[in-house]
mmCIF file with all atom_site columns, all heavy atoms in Angstrom:
data_model
loop_
_atom_site.group_PDB
_atom_site.id
_atom_site.type_symbol
_atom_site.label_atom_id
_atom_site.label_alt_id
_atom_site.label_comp_id
_atom_site.label_asym_id
_atom_site.label_entity_id
_atom_site.label_seq_id
_atom_site.pdbx_PDB_ins_code
_atom_site.Cartn_x
_atom_site.Cartn_y
_atom_site.Cartn_z
_atom_site.occupancy
_atom_site.B_iso_or_equiv
_atom_site.pdbx_formal_charge
_atom_site.auth_seq_id
_atom_site.auth_comp_id
_atom_site.auth_asym_id
_atom_site.auth_atom_id
_atom_site.pdbx_PDB_model_num
ATOM 1  N N   . LEU A 1 249 ? 46.527 76.646 6.925  1.00 0.00 ? 249 LEU A N   1
ATOM 2  C CA  . LEU A 1 249 ? 47.818 77.222 7.171  1.00 0.00 ? 249 LEU A CA  1
ATOM 3  C C   . LEU A 1 249 ? 48.509 76.518 8.201  1.00 0.00 ? 249 LEU A C   1
ATOM 4  O O   . LEU A 1 249 ? 47.929 76.304 9.327  1.00 0.00 ? 249 LEU A O   1
ATOM 5  C CB  . LEU A 1 249 ? 47.528 78.692 7.589  1.00 0.00 ? 249 LEU A CB  1
ATOM 6  C CG  . LEU A 1 249 ? 48.660 79.665 7.588  1.00 0.00 ? 249 LEU A CG  1
ATOM 7  C CD1 . LEU A 1 249 ? 48.303 81.018 7.245  1.00 0.00 ? 249 LEU A CD1 1
ATOM 8  C CD2 . LEU A 1 249 ? 49.345 79.642 9.010  1.00 0.00 ? 249 LEU A CD2 1
ATOM 9  N N   . SER A 1 251 ? 52.075 77.091 9.241  1.00 0.00 ? 251 SER A N   1
ATOM 10 C CA  . SER A 1 251 ? 53.066 77.816 10.013 1.00 0.00 ? 251 SER A CA  1
ATOM 11 C C   . SER A 1 251 ? 53.306 79.224 9.421  1.00 0.00 ? 251 SER A C   1
ATOM 12 O O   . SER A 1 251 ? 52.930 79.444 8.226  1.00 0.00 ? 251 SER A O   1
ATOM 13 C CB  . SER A 1 251 ? 54.409 77.131 10.025 1.00 0.00 ? 251 SER A CB  1
ATOM 14 O OG  . SER A 1 251 ? 55.020 77.006 8.740  1.00 0.00 ? 251 SER A OG  1
ATOM 15 N N   . ASN A 1 252 ? 53.897 80.074 10.272 1.00 0.00 ? 252 ASN A N   1
ATOM 16 C CA  . ASN A 1 252 ? 54.261 81.498 9.808  1.00 0.00 ? 252 ASN A CA  1
ATOM 17 C C   . ASN A 1 252 ? 55.662 81.742 10.492 1.00 0.00 ? 252 ASN A C   1
ATOM 18 O O   . ASN A 1 252 ? 55.725 82.125 11.649 1.00 0.00 ? 252 ASN A O   1
ATOM 19 C CB  . ASN A 1 252 ? 53.239 82.414 10.075 1.00 0.00 ? 252 ASN A CB  1
ATOM 20 C CG  . ASN A 1 252 ? 53.603 83.882 9.794  1.00 0.00 ? 252 ASN A CG  1
ATOM 21 O OD1 . ASN A 1 252 ? 54.426 84.110 8.926  1.00 0.00 ? 252 ASN A OD1 1
ATOM 22 N ND2 . ASN A 1 252 ? 53.018 84.861 10.570 1.00 0.00 ? 252 ASN A ND2 1
ATOM 23 N N   . ASN A 1 259 ? 58.890 86.944 6.027  1.00 0.00 ? 259 ASN A N   1
ATOM 24 C CA  . ASN A 1 259 ? 57.967 85.989 6.632  1.00 0.00 ? 259 ASN A CA  1
ATOM 25 C C   . ASN A 1 259 ? 57.561 84.980 5.657  1.00 0.00 ? 259 ASN A C   1
ATOM 26 O O   . ASN A 1 259 ? 57.147 85.279 4.517  1.00 0.00 ? 259 ASN A O   1
ATOM 27 C CB  . ASN A 1 259 ? 56.675 86.831 7.162  1.00 0.00 ? 259 ASN A CB  1
ATOM 28 C CG  . ASN A 1 259 ? 56.950 87.670 8.328  1.00 0.00 ? 259 ASN A CG  1
ATOM 29 O OD1 . ASN A 1 259 ? 56.590 87.303 9.419  1.00 0.00 ? 259 ASN A OD1 1
ATOM 30 N ND2 . ASN A 1 259 ? 57.668 88.752 8.148  1.00 0.00 ? 259 ASN A ND2 1
ATOM 31 N N   . THR A 1 260 ? 57.664 83.707 6.056  1.00 0.00 ? 260 THR A N   1
ATOM 32 C CA  . THR A 1 260 ? 57.364 82.556 5.174  1.00 0.00 ? 260 THR A CA  1
ATOM 33 C C   . THR A 1 260 ? 56.024 81.935 5.710  1.00 0.00 ? 260 THR A C   1
ATOM 34 O O   . THR A 1 260 ? 55.976 81.347 6.833  1.00 0.00 ? 260 THR A O   1
ATOM 35 C CB  . THR A 1 260 ? 58.386 81.491 5.222  1.00 0.00 ? 260 THR A CB  1
ATOM 36 O OG1 . THR A 1 260 ? 59.640 82.083 4.727  1.00 0.00 ? 260 THR A OG1 1
ATOM 37 C CG2 . THR A 1 260 ? 58.045 80.367 4.262  1.00 0.00 ? 260 THR A CG2 1
ATOM 38 N N   . ILE A 1 261 ? 54.961 82.128 4.974  1.00 0.00 ? 261 ILE A N   1
ATOM 39 C CA  . ILE A 1 261 ? 53.585 81.664 5.317  1.00 0.00 ? 261 ILE A CA  1
ATOM 40 C C   . ILE A 1 261 ? 53.471 80.286 4.597  1.00 0.00 ? 261 ILE A C   1
ATOM 41 O O   . ILE A 1 261 ? 53.296 80.206 3.344  1.00 0.00 ? 261 ILE A O   1
ATOM 42 C CB  . ILE A 1 261 ? 52.474 82.629 4.918  1.00 0.00 ? 261 ILE A CB  1
ATOM 43 C CG1 . ILE A 1 261 ? 52.792 83.948 5.550  1.00 0.00 ? 261 ILE A CG1 1
ATOM 44 C CG2 . ILE A 1 261 ? 51.130 82.107 5.287  1.00 0.00 ? 261 ILE A CG2 1
ATOM 45 C CD1 . ILE A 1 261 ? 51.950 85.090 4.912  1.00 0.00 ? 261 ILE A CD1 1
ATOM 46 N N   . LYS A 1 262 ? 53.308 79.249 5.326  1.00 0.00 ? 262 LYS A N   1
ATOM 47 C CA  . LYS A 1 262 ? 53.265 77.833 4.695  1.00 0.00 ? 262 LYS A CA  1
ATOM 48 C C   . LYS A 1 262 ? 51.858 77.233 4.903  1.00 0.00 ? 262 LYS A C   1
ATOM 49 O O   . LYS A 1 262 ? 51.262 77.338 5.896  1.00 0.00 ? 262 LYS A O   1
ATOM 50 C CB  . LYS A 1 262 ? 54.234 76.932 5.412  1.00 0.00 ? 262 LYS A CB  1
ATOM 51 C CG  . LYS A 1 262 ? 54.396 75.581 4.792  1.00 0.00 ? 262 LYS A CG  1
ATOM 52 C CD  . LYS A 1 262 ? 55.607 74.801 5.349  1.00 0.00 ? 262 LYS A CD  1
ATOM 53 C CE  . LYS A 1 262 ? 55.687 73.469 4.667  1.00 0.00 ? 262 LYS A CE  1
ATOM 54 N NZ  . LYS A 1 262 ? 55.979 73.566 3.182  1.00 0.00 ? 262 LYS A NZ  1
ATOM 55 N N   . PHE A 1 263 ? 51.475 76.587 3.781  1.00 0.00 ? 263 PHE A N   1
ATOM 56 C CA  . PHE A 1 263 ? 50.166 75.889 3.768  1.00 0.00 ? 263 PHE A CA  1
ATOM 57 C C   . PHE A 1 263 ? 50.392 74.335 3.678  1.00 0.00 ? 263 PHE A C   1
ATOM 58 O O   . PHE A 1 263 ? 51.566 73.963 3.329  1.00 0.00 ? 263 PHE A O   1
ATOM 59 C CB  . PHE A 1 263 ? 49.349 76.362 2.480  1.00 0.00 ? 263 PHE A CB  1
ATOM 60 C CG  . PHE A 1 263 ? 49.024 77.829 2.588  1.00 0.00 ? 263 PHE A CG  1
ATOM 61 C CD1 . PHE A 1 263 ? 49.827 78.778 1.870  1.00 0.00 ? 263 PHE A CD1 1
ATOM 62 C CD2 . PHE A 1 263 ? 47.929 78.244 3.235  1.00 0.00 ? 263 PHE A CD2 1
ATOM 63 C CE1 . PHE A 1 263 ? 49.539 80.111 1.932  1.00 0.00 ? 263 PHE A CE1 1
ATOM 64 C CE2 . PHE A 1 263 ? 47.578 79.596 3.323  1.00 0.00 ? 263 PHE A CE2 1
ATOM 65 C CZ  . PHE A 1 263 ? 48.375 80.531 2.608  1.00 0.00 ? 263 PHE A CZ  1
ATOM 66 N N   . THR A 1 287 ? 53.581 76.094 -2.054 1.00 0.00 ? 287 THR A N   1
ATOM 67 C CA  . THR A 1 287 ? 53.085 75.761 -0.780 1.00 0.00 ? 287 THR A CA  1
ATOM 68 C C   . THR A 1 287 ? 53.356 76.886 0.211  1.00 0.00 ? 287 THR A C   1
ATOM 69 O O   . THR A 1 287 ? 52.872 76.809 1.333  1.00 0.00 ? 287 THR A O   1
ATOM 70 C CB  . THR A 1 287 ? 53.609 74.514 -0.339 1.00 0.00 ? 287 THR A CB  1
ATOM 71 O OG1 . THR A 1 287 ? 55.071 74.664 -0.109 1.00 0.00 ? 287 THR A OG1 1
ATOM 72 C CG2 . THR A 1 287 ? 53.284 73.288 -1.150 1.00 0.00 ? 287 THR A CG2 1
ATOM 73 N N   . GLU A 1 288 ? 54.097 77.865 -0.270 1.00 0.00 ? 288 GLU A N   1
ATOM 74 C CA  . GLU A 1 288 ? 54.522 79.003 0.684  1.00 0.00 ? 288 GLU A CA  1
ATOM 75 C C   . GLU A 1 288 ? 54.285 80.303 0.020  1.00 0.00 ? 288 GLU A C   1
ATOM 76 O O   . GLU A 1 288 ? 54.477 80.455 -1.193 1.00 0.00 ? 288 GLU A O   1
ATOM 77 C CB  . GLU A 1 288 ? 56.057 78.843 1.020  1.00 0.00 ? 288 GLU A CB  1
ATOM 78 C CG  . GLU A 1 288 ? 56.408 77.609 1.840  1.00 0.00 ? 288 GLU A CG  1
ATOM 79 C CD  . GLU A 1 288 ? 57.837 77.473 2.046  1.00 0.00 ? 288 GLU A CD  1
ATOM 80 O OE1 . GLU A 1 288 ? 58.604 78.042 1.311  1.00 0.00 ? 288 GLU A OE1 1
ATOM 81 O OE2 . GLU A 1 288 ? 58.280 76.732 3.009  1.00 0.00 ? 288 GLU A OE2 1
ATOM 82 N N   . VAL A 1 289 ? 53.909 81.229 0.818  1.00 0.00 ? 289 VAL A N   1
ATOM 83 C CA  . VAL A 1 289 ? 53.863 82.662 0.408  1.00 0.00 ? 289 VAL A CA  1
ATOM 84 C C   . VAL A 1 289 ? 55.003 83.486 1.092  1.00 0.00 ? 289 VAL A C   1
ATOM 85 O O   . VAL A 1 289 ? 55.095 83.304 2.355  1.00 0.00 ? 289 VAL A O   1
ATOM 86 C CB  . VAL A 1 289 ? 52.570 83.333 0.674  1.00 0.00 ? 289 VAL A CB  1
ATOM 87 C CG1 . VAL A 1 289 ? 52.540 84.799 0.397  1.00 0.00 ? 289 VAL A CG1 1
ATOM 88 C CG2 . VAL A 1 289 ? 51.486 82.655 -0.215 1.00 0.00 ? 289 VAL A CG2 1
ATOM 89 N N   . ILE A 1 319 ? 46.544 86.800 10.256 1.00 0.00 ? 319 ILE A N   1
ATOM 90 C CA  . ILE A 1 319 ? 47.878 86.439 10.881 1.00 0.00 ? 319 ILE A CA  1
ATOM 91 C C   . ILE A 1 319 ? 48.628 87.716 11.123 1.00 0.00 ? 319 ILE A C   1
ATOM 92 O O   . ILE A 1 319 ? 48.310 88.691 10.634 1.00 0.00 ? 319 ILE A O   1
ATOM 93 C CB  . ILE A 1 319 ? 48.665 85.459 10.043 1.00 0.00 ? 319 ILE A CB  1
ATOM 94 C CG1 . ILE A 1 319 ? 49.054 86.010 8.677  1.00 0.00 ? 319 ILE A CG1 1
ATOM 95 C CG2 . ILE A 1 319 ? 47.909 84.162 9.845  1.00 0.00 ? 319 ILE A CG2 1
ATOM 96 C CD1 . ILE A 1 319 ? 49.967 85.251 7.908  1.00 0.00 ? 319 ILE A CD1 1
#
Side-chain angles (χ1 to χ4, degrees):
L249 191 149
S251 66
N252 176 24
N259 287 254
T260 304
I261 305 167
K262 186 172 181 59
F263 297 95
T287 61
E288 297 175 338
V289 171
I319 62 173

